[in-house]
Amino acid sequence: MIMDNIFDIDIQAAVLYGLNKPLVIDQIRVKELLEGQVFVKIYFSGVCRSQLMEARGSRGFDPWLPHLLGHEASGEVIAVGKGVTKVKVGDKVILGWIKGDGIDANGAKYINKKGEIINSGKVTTFSNYSVVSENRITKLDVDIPRDVAVLFGCALPTGAGIVYNELKPKENENIAIVGLGGIGLSALMALNEYNLNKIIAVDISKEKLEYAIKLGATDTLNPLDKKFEEKKLKLLNKGVDGCVESGGKIESIELGISLLKNTGRMYFASHPENGKKISIDPFELISGKKIFGSWGGAYDPEKDIVRLSSNFKRGNYPVDELIKKRYTLNEINNALDDLEKGVVFRPLIKMNH
């Protein structure tokens, strides 16, 4: 079903007109809905480090300016383009960047009041309505609140996916998590499903470390602690069996590698600044340490969403603290600033309609 009236809707969107400049709240419209595209009313959008880096120019040259941002949200289907069979009008959905089933449609072209073209990717969420590719949408379990559902678009599937699909902890292992943002804390919650010896949370934020204990971490380490090396040696002995790293810095990746014992393995989901390089002593690799980059936790939206939803409903994922801080779309730049300062776990944007 295609609803022509969507083309009369003034969409409120945060537009990136220039790198390292504030996002501009603008009114835009879409001229047409192409094959495989879905028009979605956005309820809530998350803000993660990936968008922060893109907006602040840390990804390097951007050929798509001006364009929209955001890749995790909850919403409702308002209209569907030709060929869409995965969802229908009225369905409650989760939007995420990880590919699922369905048509891999092109990103939409919007137009602002000045007649300028505003580009977008296959999924964008910093707006109260959005045109999204069919394969970036998953139906929302009705028992999951709209605000919590945002985490199912990126943070939970990436963090938990690394644990489920890649790290695959063994009984009585010692596992470290470096970086306690949305992905790191999601990984921590997933680790609680395993019978582990130690779950060690590592971050420079005292507040995040305290929250990690509430979520099931057995121990914490703060690299800014003057006795960090002494405490690390006492706690880890020869090192951990596995590590999930999501700190977003070269230093946090290198720290994660240093925590491993010689047969340990690390999966990292960090996106350091464009052009940055990690430094590794080759002897660490010769000794048997293994490091892997993770692309979205090898998450399958059609399959893994069932496990994540079930765990949430059983109370295994107490995520309220992660999404406690709310912003309006007009406050999007404040949300980015707070995320950069590390004073919020996962900023949540509540859309007005």
Side-chain angles (χ1 to χ4, degrees):
M1 177 181 179
I2 300 178
M3 297 172 59
D4 291 336
N5 64 347
I6 70 167
F7 309 125
D8 294 327
I9 293 177
D10 282 326
I11 299 169
Q12 297 295 120
V15 182
L16 180 65
Y17 280 102
L19 297 181
N20 208 23
K21 295 181 180 179
L23 300 184
V24 176
I25 306 302
D26 215 343
Q27 283 192 353
I28 60 176
R29 288 191 177 192
V30 62
K31 286 188 173 182
E32 57 182 339
L33 204 58
L34 304 178
E35 180 174 0
Q37 292 180 339
V38 182
F39 192 66
V40 179
K41 179 180 183 179
I42 305 292
Y43 295 141
F44 291 92
S45 171
V47 182
C48 82
R49 186 172 178 80
S50 180
Q51 280 82 62
L52 173 65
M53 294 185 67
E54 197 166 354
R56 301 290 159 87
S58 298
R59 291 285 181 83
F61 174 70
D62 189 338
W64 302 106
L65 294 172
H67 64 79
L68 305 184
L69 290 168
H71 66 210
E72 58 178 358
S74 62
E76 178 182 344
V77 175
I78 301 300
V80 299
K82 182 180 178 182
V84 173
T85 60
K86 186 176 179 179
V87 293
K88 64 183 185 302
V89 173
D91 281 347
K92 305 302 186 291
V93 292
I94 298 166
L95 280 57
W97 65 273
I98 302 171
K99 288 184 181 180
D101 293 344
I103 298 171
D104 190 30
N106 291 327
K109 300 286 186 181
Y110 299 86
I111 188 168
N112 66 10
K113 293 285 188 179
K114 297 179 181 179
E116 298 170 318
I117 297 297
I118 308 298
N119 295 305
S120 72
K122 296 174 187 292
V123 56
T124 59
T125 62
F126 289 177
S127 55
N128 61 353
Y129 290 88
S130 183
V131 176
V132 185
S133 174
E134 182 185 22
N135 68 347
R136 264 60 169 197
I137 284 180
T138 307
K139 285 188 180 180
L140 171 62
D141 187 316
V142 294
D143 292 330
I144 298 176
R146 294 174 179 179
D147 53 354
V148 172
V150 171
L151 298 176
F152 286 74
C154 177
L156 276 174
T158 301
I162 290 174
V163 174
Y164 294 159
N165 303 321
E166 298 176 317
L167 187 66
K168 298 177 181 177
K170 300 177 180 64
E171 187 173 2
N172 292 321
E173 283 192 324
N174 296 317
I175 305 295
I177 300 172
V178 179
L180 300 177
I183 292 173
L185 291 170
S186 296
L188 171 56
M189 288 184 276
L191 286 171
N192 287 324
E193 298 179 44
Y194 297 82
N195 185 21
L196 301 174
N197 182 41
K198 291 179 181 178
I199 301 175
I200 303 154
V202 185
D203 203 282
I204 61 174
S205 166
K206 181 180 178 182
E207 180 188 7
K208 290 181 178 180
L209 291 173
E210 290 173 350
Y211 185 49
I213 292 293
K214 294 179 182 179
L215 290 182
T218 59
D219 303 273
T220 63
L221 285 171
N222 187 334
L224 298 182
D225 191 325
K226 293 181 180 179
K227 295 184 177 181
F228 173 69
E229 291 297 334
E230 177 185 333
K231 291 180 179 179
K232 181 178 75 171
L233 181 63
K234 182 178 180 180
L235 180 62
L236 304 184
N237 192 7
K238 295 182 179 181
V240 296
D241 300 286
C243 178
V244 175
E245 188 283 327
S246 59
K249 301 284 187 180
I250 291 300
E251 294 80 5
S252 59
I253 297 175
E254 293 174 347
L255 174 60
I257 296 170
S258 75
L259 298 179
L260 297 174
K261 66 182 186 181
N262 283 344
T263 57
R265 67 229 185 258
M266 183 181 83
Y267 287 86
F268 68 94
S270 278
H271 297 279
E273 293 181 20
N274 181 58
K276 296 287 187 178
K277 308 291 183 184
I278 60 173
S279 178
I280 307 172
D281 183 344
F283 188 73
E284 293 189 88
L285 301 180
I286 293 172
S287 299
K289 292 186 180 183
K290 299 177 179 63
I291 58 173
F292 305 89
S294 178
W295 188 256
Y299 176 75
D300 181 343
E302 319 305 331
K303 174 175 65 72
D304 291 340
I305 190 70
V306 176
R307 182 173 183 177
L308 289 176
S309 300
S310 176
N311 282 329
F312 170 75
K313 286 186 282 187
R314 288 202 305 268
N316 293 342
Y317 290 159
V319 299
D320 289 350
E321 192 72 19
L322 268 71
I323 54 175
K324 184 171 67 174
K325 183 66 173 175
R326 312 292 175 92
Y327 304 79
T328 66
L329 185 60
N330 287 328
E331 297 171 322
I332 186 74
N333 291 300
N334 294 338
L336 289 169
D337 288 342
D338 287 349
L339 183 63
E340 187 171 34
K341 295 173 185 175
V343 298
V344 60
F345 292 112
R346 200 70 162 191
L348 205 63
I349 308 299
K350 187 180 187 303
M351 301 300 171
N352 293 321
H353 297 95

